Amino acid sequence: MTDQELTFPSDFLWGAATAAYQIEGAAREGGRTPSIWDTFSHTPGKVVAGHTGDVACDHYHRFRDDIKLMADLGLRSYRFSVSWPRVQPGGSGPANQTGLDFYRELVDELLAHGIEPWVTLYHWDLPQPLEDAGGWPARDTAARFADYAQLTHAALGDRVRYWTTLNEPWCSAFLGYGSGAHAPGRSDPGDAVRAGHHLMLGHGLAVQALRAARADHEFGVTLNLYPVTPQTQDPADADAARRIDGLANRFFLDPILRGDYPEDLRNDLSGITDFGHVHDGDLATISTPLSMVGINYYSRHVVAAPVGGAPAEPYWRAPSCWPGSEQVRFVTRGVPVTDMNWEIDAPGLVETLQRVHREYTDLPLYITENGSAFVDAVIDGQVDDTDRLAYFDAHLRAAHTAISSGVPLRGYFAWSLMDNYEWAWGYTKRFGMIYVDYDSQLRIPKSSARWYAEVIRRNGLAAQ
């Protein structure tokens, strides 16, 4: 390599990520029972075109072929989630050994191809009976999650070293129970706040239990974080940014890494909750020491002070996602966007990584998701996704900048390995490096996949 090329640390972990409900299918096979996403997707009007995850990418039956594709890309690690209702139908009681056998075979196949398995225990598929009993706003769900985590760890802990408890608890709490745009589709600001707390409590209880079983394992959590920028230097805009930063970022960063909720956030939420759901000892449990932190990064929030009524916003900016700060305006800057209408802002990744390292922790950081949806077309059997390739390139250069500034970034997981079920958007949005024809289940590696394979081979990026 020449001096102009960007080289990553020799032990940098290159991977790709998926989630169980988005790819597995086999929704009623092997003892699996419904999750909140099964119920939500089968409810008319909840998901674009009525799409469900019943079949998805049929990964449950095709995982060996999919792992061969991973090996062809040279992936060093694969981050996947375990389906709670596949492992523990009903959300309580003994493990379903057929479900665990699927993950045992998946892990064995990964290891046979030299790919490090990275388990996410919760990627939004709460067993429906637990939702019927109150869901994440109910305190008992945290204890049920810790029990499920122990069952899974007991089965896979002899082969899996990396464990993430939760993926994007902001989405689970504020999209699931605030705006209702995601499963279970409830809309109550108090429930959203309580859900966020109990998700973190379940995380802490799980880390304590799993570390007691295997202290040599790596335990962390994955948070979706955003730089939040005021539209102007006006104090009212600055306060709007403070509010959204509190809900989007500090609501989770502070309890998990500092052991308390920020005082200004408590004040912002005082009209919604008195925080009586926070019991003695909760914050000590939530802040149980970790060995790593995962960061999912996609875009930036630019916000401004209220002007009149709150405008209609996309689902992830809807006023009901932001309890206590519903009148804050999200500003569109006119910069390039992805097919999700998310602004492309690679410098924001540098800001986010530096902030977490500077303000919160010296722990190793991992980019556990980063990627983009674009409209893809198969032409002569090929998919030339130049926009996605450019997105990856810009964000990996940003990651290298962060490393050069002293951030302990240890790995990068592209989102996603393959096109899949994009939650409330169904199959209408494609994030994958591998194209999936959902009718035939044919897989076609895109240009971005071939490019990423070369990045991994070289452990770096070519000079610009």
Side-chain angles (χ1 to χ4, degrees):
M1 287 189 175
T2 68
D3 291 340
Q4 289 75 34
E5 294 179 327
L6 301 182
T7 304
F8 283 75
S10 59
D11 60 348
F12 196 76
L13 194 61
W14 295 102
T18 65
Y21 189 72
Q22 293 181 276
I23 68 167
E24 283 182 5
R28 299 174 184 85
E29 293 185 43
R32 184 186 181 279
T33 56
S35 74
I36 55 175
W37 268 98
D38 294 277
T39 302
F40 188 81
S41 66
H42 282 269
T43 302
K46 295 297 187 182
V47 175
V48 171
H51 293 166
T52 75
D54 289 0
V55 176
C57 304
D58 196 32
H59 179 71
Y60 184 83
H61 298 111
R62 300 169 186 265
F63 72 89
R64 289 185 174 84
D65 289 338
D66 289 338
I67 291 172
K68 289 177 183 176
L69 289 171
M70 298 179 208
D72 290 344
L73 294 180
L75 294 187
R76 311 279 174 77
S77 186
Y78 172 53
R79 175 176 173 256
F80 63 95
S81 78
V82 171
S83 169
W84 188 346
R86 193 179 297 286
V87 163
Q88 193 185 39
S92 62
N96 170 31
Q97 292 303 319
T98 302
L100 283 174
D101 285 346
F102 167 70
Y103 295 107
R104 290 185 179 106
E105 293 176 19
L106 174 67
V107 167
D108 287 346
E109 193 75 8
L110 289 167
L111 293 172
H113 285 82
I115 300 171
E116 184 88 48
W118 185 303
V119 167
T120 297
L121 286 164
Y122 187 72
H123 201 131
W124 308 354
D125 50 359
L126 184 71
Q128 184 61 43
L130 292 185
E131 173 60 22
D132 295 341
W136 285 110
R139 185 177 182 86
D140 186 61
T141 305
R144 301 286 70 74
F145 174 71
D147 290 345
Y148 149 71
Q150 291 177 81
L151 290 175
T152 305
H153 186 261
L156 303 179
D158 59 336
R159 285 158 284 189
V160 177
R161 185 162 60 101
Y162 291 94
W163 295 84
T164 296
T165 52
L166 309 174
N167 180 80
E168 298 186 352
W170 182 88
C171 295
S172 297
F174 293 103
L175 294 181
Y177 294 93
S179 72
H182 279 191
R186 287 159 59 178
S187 187
D188 181 289
D191 279 349
V193 173
R194 285 185 287 275
H197 180 77
H198 295 142
L199 281 153
M200 289 189 284
L201 180 61
H203 150 80
L205 291 169
V207 172
Q208 289 179 349
L210 303 194
R211 179 169 285 123
R214 290 292 299 263
D216 57 326
H217 283 178
E218 306 291 330
F219 301 107
V221 66
T222 281
L223 305 176
N224 54 312
L225 302 179
Y226 299 81
V228 183
T229 307
Q231 183 183 27
T232 73
Q233 295 306 306
D234 186 281
D237 286 356
D239 187 66
R242 178 197 62 75
R243 285 174 168 274
I244 298 305
D245 177 63
L247 287 167
N249 299 319
R250 293 181 289 120
F251 185 100
F252 298 98
L253 284 167
D254 281 52
I256 291 172
L257 296 173
R258 290 180 175 171
D260 204 356
Y261 285 100
E263 190 62 30
D264 68 309
L265 177 66
R266 288 179 181 263
N267 291 335
D268 291 344
L269 291 169
S270 61
I272 293 168
T273 178
D274 61 1
F275 281 84
H277 56 276
V278 181
H279 294 190
D280 289 346
D282 280 6
L283 289 162
T285 298
I286 288 169
S287 59
T288 297
L290 303 175
S291 45
M292 61 187 180
V293 176
I295 295 172
N296 292 357
Y297 177 81
Y298 289 98
S299 190
R300 177 190 300 272
H301 292 319
V302 180
V303 299
V307 176
E313 295 281 1
Y315 74 97
W316 54 284
R317 289 177 165 179
S320 52
C321 293
W322 309 100
S325 298
E326 293 89 347
Q327 299 302 310
V328 170
R329 292 183 297 130
F330 286 79
V331 178
T332 299
R333 297 177 291 167
V335 302
V337 298
T338 69
D339 193 39
M340 297 292 290
N341 202 33
W342 298 348
E343 294 186 351
I344 300 171
D345 193 320
L349 176 58
V350 182
E351 294 175 36
T352 299
L353 292 168
Q354 289 177 338
R355 180 196 186 182
V356 172
H357 176 55
R358 179 180 65 252
E359 298 184 14
Y360 286 96
T361 185
D362 291 325
L363 287 172
L365 305 180
Y366 291 84
I367 298 169
T368 37
E369 285 184 27
N370 177 240
S372 54
F374 288 104
V375 177
D376 297 318
V378 181
I379 300 174
D380 296 329
Q382 303 292 320
V383 180
D384 189 18
D385 59 336
T386 55
D387 288 340
R388 183 174 296 105
L389 191 159
Y391 181 100
F392 281 136
D393 182 81
H395 286 77
L396 282 174
R397 291 180 189 279
H400 191 276
T401 297
I403 293 171
S404 299
S405 73
V407 173
L409 181 64
R410 301 289 189 254
Y412 177 92
F413 291 82
W415 185 270
S416 176
L417 174 69
M418 67 181 80
D419 294 333
N420 53 49
Y421 182 82
E422 183 48 39
W423 307 112
W425 289 97
Y427 299 103
T428 66
K429 305 294 182 182
R430 294 181 179 270
F431 276 87
M433 294 185 293
I434 296 171
Y435 184 93
V436 177
D437 182 313
Y438 297 113
D439 292 327
S440 68
Q441 293 296 342
L442 176 69
R443 273 74 158 144
I444 303 173
K446 304 175 188 178
S447 296
S448 61
R450 295 189 293 273
W451 174 87
Y452 191 51
E454 179 63 12
V455 169
I456 295 171
R457 187 190 70 78
R458 298 169 62 165
N459 194 40
L461 298 163
Q464 285 186 320

